[in-house]
RNA sequence: GGCGGCGUAGCCAAGUGGUAAGGCAGAGCUCUGCAAAAGCUUUAUUCAUCGGUUCAAUUCCGAUCGCCGCCUCCA
C-alpha cells in the first residue's frame, strides 16, 4: 500500500487517487537561464522515480513539468546578451532535455512553457481581480493574502512571529503593496521594454508563481493529485500557487504535496563561491557516468538531505559496474533445465521487499538494499550452480521490474568484438592450453590496453569493456 | 528573532521502544597457472554528549554541543 508524506497535512498518508486509476502529477521544472546543476537533478530524478513507481503500481499517469522561460533573471541575462528571451533560453532548454535524458529520466507527458501560457495566466488574474483576491497598484497586480484565509497552510509559517526578525532580508517597500507578504501576479512593463504582454489590466509580464497555477490547472484540472518540487519552493512559490489557484476556483488545488530535500556537496551547501557547484555536465566532463550519478541521487530517500561526495560517487561507479556485470553474467550463464523452488521464493521475497520499501514514501535506500540482497543471493546460487533456467528467467524478470523504477542497469547491449580482438582471444586460449603463460599474459595485457578485460571462468573466457 | 531537519563504522547511509539494512573502501580465505570476477568470513557491545521516563532507548522526553535548511532569487 503506497504511502506518501504529504507536506500539506504533515502526515504519512495512504495514496488514493481522485479518479480511481488515473493520477495527475505536476512537478515544478527548471528555470532555463543556465545549465541545471546536480541539486536540480536530484529533484527531477526524484520526480522520475515517482512517476515510474506510479506506473509500476499500475496507475495511468499524466505528468506535467513546466519550463520557466521567463523571469527577471532571464530577461536581464537576455538583455545583456543582446537577445530576445526565446533565443536566450533555447540552448538551455535543449541542454536540459539532453542532461535529463542522459540521467535516464523519462520525459513527462506534457512539458509546457510559461511564455506559451500567458493567456491562461491572464484569465486567472482577471478572476482574482473580480473576486477581490487581487488589486492593482502602480500598474502592477498583486495578490491580496488577507483575502485568503488559508494562506500559510502549506508552509505553516507564522507570519506574526518571524518577519520582524528577518526584516533585513525582506524587502517591504520596494513596491507599494497593501501588505509586505502580498506578491506580484503581474508586473508592469513599459512600452519600450521588449518582454511584455498586453492584458485587460495593462501591459506587463507574469509574476513567478502564476505560471504554475495556470499550467497545472490547464492540463490537470482545478484539482489534481500530486504536486511536487524542491523544498525551497515550499515557500513562497507553492504557498502562493495555492493562494492563487484556490483563490480563483475556491476548490482544493493539489491533494498531495511532496518536497524533495536539498543536496549538499562534501557536507556543505553547494554554491559558486565555495567552488563546489557542479552541473551534470561538469561531472560528465570529469569522467563520471550518468548511471553512477543517478545511483548516487537515489541512494538517499528524497525527503532527506543528501551529501554528495566524490568518494561516494567513485563508489557508485563500482556499484553500478558490479550490478551490470551481474546481470550480464546471469544472462550468459548456462543453467540446467528446471526450477529451484527455494531460490524462486527468495527472489520473490526480495521483490516484495523492494515494493514495500518504495511503498513507504519512496524509500529508495531500502529499495536498493533489496536489490543488493537479491544480487548476493543469486551470486551465491550461481557459484553453487543451483540456478536453473526457470530461475534465471524469473530473476531477470525481477531485475527488470526493479529497473523499471530505478533505471540504473541500462540497456542490454549485444556488443561485438572486431575480428582482430577475437583472434587475439583465441590465440590466448591456445597459449593457455599449451601452458605458455608468458604469451597468454602478454595478450591479456595487450587487450587491457585496448579496454578489453578478460575473465577466465569454468565455462570459458568472458570479456567486457572497461 | 520565528520555524523545520539532521548528527549511526574509514566514507555514503537505512532503520526501529526489545537489542544495529545496504553500498563503497580495507583485511583474510576459497576459486585461478597467475589474474579478474564471484563467494565466504571479517570491520559499530554501539547509534554527538549529558540527564530523565521505561522491565527495556539508538529509537520517547529534556538539556547541551555541532551541522543544514526556510522566513518572498533558489530544485
Amino acid at each position: 500500500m503506497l504511502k506518501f508524506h504529504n507536506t500539506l497535512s504533515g502526515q504519512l498518508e495512504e495514496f488514493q487517487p481522485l479518479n480511481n486509476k488515473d493520477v495527475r502529477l505536476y512537478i515544478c521544472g527548471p528555470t532555463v537561464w543556465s545549465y541545471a546543476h546536480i541539486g536540480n537533478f536530484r529533484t527531477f530524478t526524484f520526480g522520475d522515480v515517482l512517476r515510474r513507481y506510479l506506473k509500476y503500481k499500475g496507475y495511468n499517469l499524466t505528468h506535467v513539468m513546466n519550463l520557466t522561460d521567463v523571469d527577471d533573471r532571464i530577461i536581464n541575462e537576455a538583455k545583456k546578451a543582446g537577445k530576445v528571451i526565446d533565443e536566450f533560453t533555447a540552448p538551455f532548454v535543449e541542454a536540459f532535455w539532453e542532461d535529463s535524458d542522459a540521467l535516464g529520466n523519462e520525459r513527462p507527458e506534457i512539458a509546457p512553457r510559461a511564455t506559451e501560457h500567458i493567456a491562461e495566466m491572464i484569465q486567472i488574474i482577471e478572476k482574482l481581480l473580480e473576486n477581490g483576491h487581487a488589486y492593482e497598484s502602480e500598474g502592477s497586480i498583486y495578490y491580496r493574502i488577507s483575502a485568503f484565509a488559508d494562506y500559510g497552510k502549506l508552509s505553516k509559517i507564522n507570519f506574526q512571529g518571524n518577519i520582524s526578525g528577518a526584516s533585513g532580508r525582506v524587502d517591504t517597500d520596494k513596491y507599494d503593496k497593501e501588505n509586505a507578504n502580498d506578491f506580484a501576479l503581474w508586473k508592469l512593463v513599459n512600452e519600450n521594454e521588449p518582454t511584455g504582454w498586453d492584458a485587460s489590466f495593462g501591459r506587463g509580464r507574469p509574476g513567478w508563481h502564476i505560471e504554475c497555477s495556470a499550467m497545472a490547472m490547464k492540463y490537470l484540472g482545478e484539482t489534481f493529485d500530486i504536486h511536487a518540487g524542491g523544498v525551497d519552493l515550499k515557500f513562497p512559490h507553492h504557498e502562493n500557487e495555492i493562494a492563487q489557484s484556490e483563490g480563483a476556483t475556491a476548490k482544493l488545488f493539489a491533494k498531495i504535496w511532496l518536497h524533495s530535500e536539498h543536496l549538499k556537496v562534501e557536507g556543505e551547501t553547494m554554491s559558486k563561491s565555495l567552488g563546489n557547484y557542479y552541473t551534470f555536465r561538469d561531472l560528465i566532463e570529469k569522467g563520471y557516468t550518468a548511471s553512477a550519478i543517478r545511483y548516487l541521487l537515489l541512494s538517499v530517500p528524497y525527503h532527506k538531505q543528501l551529501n554528495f561526495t566524490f568518494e561516494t560517487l567513485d563508489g557508485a561507479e563500482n556499484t553500478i559496474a558490479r550490478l551490470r556485470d551481474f546481470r550480464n553474467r546471469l544472462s550468459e550463464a548456462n543453467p540446467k533445465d528446471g526450477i529451484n523452488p527455494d531460490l524462486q521464493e527468495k527472489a520473490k521475497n526480495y521483490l516484495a521487499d523492494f515494493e514495500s520499501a518504495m511503498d513507504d514514501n519512496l524509500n529508495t535506500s531500502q529499495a536498493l538494499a533489496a536489490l543488493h540482497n537479491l544480487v548476493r543471493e543469486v551470486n551465491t546460487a550461481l557459484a553453487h550452480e543451483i540456478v536453473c533456467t526457470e530461475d534465471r528467467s524469473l530473476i531477470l524478470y525481477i531485475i527488470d521490474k526493479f529497473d523499471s523504477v530505478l533505471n540504473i542497469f541500462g540497456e542490454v547491449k549485444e556488443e561485438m568484438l572486431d575480428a582482430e580482438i577475437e583472434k587475439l582471444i583465441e590465440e590466448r586460449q591456445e597459449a593457455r592450453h599449451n601452458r605458455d603463460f608468458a604469451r597468454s599474459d602478454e595478450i591479456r595485457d595487450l587487450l587491457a590496453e585496448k579496454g578489453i578485460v578478460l575473465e577466465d571462468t569454468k565455462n570459458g573466457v568472458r570479456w567486457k569493456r572497461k
Side-chain angles (χ1 to χ4, degrees):
Chain A
M1 177 179 305
L2 180 56
K3 291 181 180 168
F4 289 121
H5 179 83
N6 184 356
T7 310
L8 192 58
S9 66
Q11 307 258 309
L12 196 63
E13 293 175 2
E14 194 183 312
F15 179 59
Q16 199 62 256
L18 293 158
N19 181 19
N20 53 79
K21 291 307 261 184
D22 298 327
V23 177
R24 287 165 288 158
L25 166 69
Y26 188 90
I27 299 179
C28 288
T31 301
V32 285
W33 71 289
S34 177
Y35 298 109
H37 59 66
I38 50 174
N40 296 316
F41 279 116
R42 183 194 192 191
T43 294
F44 301 133
T45 304
F46 145 66
D48 181 60
V49 167
L50 170 62
R51 68 165 277 134
R52 285 169 178 273
Y53 194 60
L54 287 167
K55 293 204 301 189
Y56 177 102
K57 295 292 268 189
Y59 294 112
N60 306 313
L61 188 69
T62 307
H63 169 196
V64 176
M65 186 172 75
N66 66 298
L67 296 180
T68 299
D69 58 356
V70 54
D71 76 341
D72 288 0
R73 201 163 39 191
I74 288 172
I75 291 168
N76 290 336
E77 293 293 319
K79 200 184 281 179
K80 267 193 235 165
K83 293 177 176 170
V84 298
I85 57 170
D86 285 354
E87 271 180 290
F88 174 76
T89 57
F92 297 119
V93 171
E94 195 179 330
F96 174 73
W97 291 121
E98 264 176 38
D99 295 354
S100 182
D101 291 348
L103 265 171
N105 292 341
E106 287 181 343
R107 298 216 182 177
E109 278 68 33
I110 305 167
R113 296 173 63 149
T115 50
E116 290 165 7
H117 295 79
I118 303 289
E120 288 83 350
M121 300 184 213
I122 288 172
Q123 278 175 23
I124 296 173
I125 296 170
E126 283 171 345
K127 222 183 250 182
L128 291 170
L129 281 166
E130 276 165 34
N131 69 13
H133 282 80
Y135 60 92
E136 182 272 331
S137 172
E138 297 183 350
S140 292
I141 310 295
Y142 294 95
Y143 189 89
R144 178 180 282 131
I145 65 157
S146 61
F148 187 67
D150 280 343
Y151 196 73
K153 70 175 176 178
L154 180 72
S155 55
K156 293 156 183 69
I157 288 175
N158 160 14
F159 292 94
Q160 263 63 283
N162 71 73
I163 291 295
S164 56
S167 60
R169 297 193 309 283
V170 178
D171 111 62
T172 48
D173 34 37
K174 189 170 167 190
Y175 302 100
D176 186 19
K177 296 188 284 187
E178 289 179 5
N179 184 309
N181 300 312
D182 288 350
F183 56 92
L185 294 166
W186 192 255
K187 300 180 181 182
L188 173 73
V189 168
N190 297 323
E191 285 304 326
N192 52 358
E193 291 282 336
T195 306
W197 290 266
D198 289 317
S200 55
F201 38 80
R203 177 176 157 84
R205 57 191 163 81
W208 172 31
H209 318 295
I210 194 70
E211 59 167 286
C212 286
S213 291
M215 293 187 275
M217 291 198 286
K218 172 169 182 182
Y219 295 106
L220 300 175
E222 292 179 340
T223 300
F224 57 94
D225 297 288
I226 305 175
H227 192 132
V231 264
D232 50 336
L233 297 184
K234 198 196 296 180
F235 188 88
H237 185 57
H238 291 160
E239 193 69 62
N240 292 350
E241 277 185 54
I242 291 174
Q244 293 164 342
S245 308
E246 298 186 2
T249 66
K251 291 179 190 159
L252 179 72
F253 181 49
K255 191 176 167 193
I256 297 173
W257 289 81
L258 303 180
H259 289 100
S260 61
E261 256 297 346
H262 276 181
L263 168 154
K264 294 188 285 182
V265 175
E266 307 287 351
E268 294 188 299
T269 306
M270 180 165 61
S271 79
K272 284 184 174 162
S273 58
L274 286 170
N276 62 358
Y277 179 98
Y278 300 104
T279 64
F280 174 74
R281 299 171 170 234
D282 292 335
L283 298 177
I284 297 298
E285 268 171 39
K286 282 173 177 283
Y288 290 103
T289 64
S291 340
I293 297 167
R294 183 178 176 95
Y295 182 90
L296 181 46
L297 295 178
L298 298 184
S299 68
V300 179
Y302 76 91
H303 58 96
K304 292 206 169 193
Q305 287 185 350
L306 179 152
N307 187 11
F308 184 101
T309 73
F310 283 97
E311 192 177 346
T312 315
L313 186 53
D314 289 332
E317 293 285 359
N318 292 338
T319 306
I320 287 290
R322 178 175 151 262
L323 290 173
R324 291 193 172 161
D325 209 42
F326 162 76
R327 188 177 62 180
N328 290 338
R329 266 184 302 108
L330 182 61
S331 305
E332 293 164 14
N334 218 338
K336 292 189 271 276
D337 282 339
I339 188 163
N340 177 344
D342 182 48
L343 188 59
Q344 295 257 330
E345 192 185 328
K346 281 177 176 159
K348 284 177 189 160
N349 284 340
Y350 289 122
L351 182 61
D353 289 348
F354 169 80
E355 202 164 323
S356 61
M358 292 303 291
D359 276 353
D360 182 16
N361 197 26
L362 308 179
N363 190 331
T364 45
S365 292
Q366 290 196 333
L368 287 168
L371 170 62
H372 289 299
N373 287 334
L374 172 73
V375 170
R376 184 169 10 84
E377 192 77 50
V378 175
N379 268 328
T380 306
L382 237 27
H384 294 169
E385 298 183 326
I386 54 170
V387 180
C388 302
T389 46
E390 293 197 31
D391 309 326
R392 174 169 68 179
S393 308
L394 176 71
I395 294 157
L396 288 172
Y397 166 77
I398 289 175
I399 295 282
D400 281 348
K401 291 285 281 177
F402 278 44
D403 211 39
S404 70
V405 177
L406 301 171
N407 195 25
I408 50 180
F409 279 88
E411 303 279 301
V412 182
K413 274 181 263 177
E414 283 295 319
E415 284 192 286
M416 298 296 290
L417 288 173
D418 56 53
E420 182 202 0
I421 288 174
E422 294 271 19
K423 230 174 155 183
L424 281 168
I425 292 175
E426 268 172 47
E427 190 191 334
R428 176 168 171 278
Q429 289 302 84
E430 189 72 33
R432 289 184 68 223
H433 192 70
N434 300 329
R435 304 191 67 81
D436 179 3
F437 297 120
R439 179 57 186 155
S440 160
D441 290 350
E442 191 185 349
I443 294 172
R444 186 166 63 196
D445 291 344
L446 185 69
L447 290 172
E449 279 172 38
K450 294 175 186 287
I452 305 289
V453 180
L454 298 183
E455 295 170 11
D456 298 320
T457 74
K458 284 193 182 114
N459 302 323
V461 62
R462 45 187 307 270
W463 61 270
K464 61 184 176 183
R465 290 189 197 279
K466 183 142 172 48

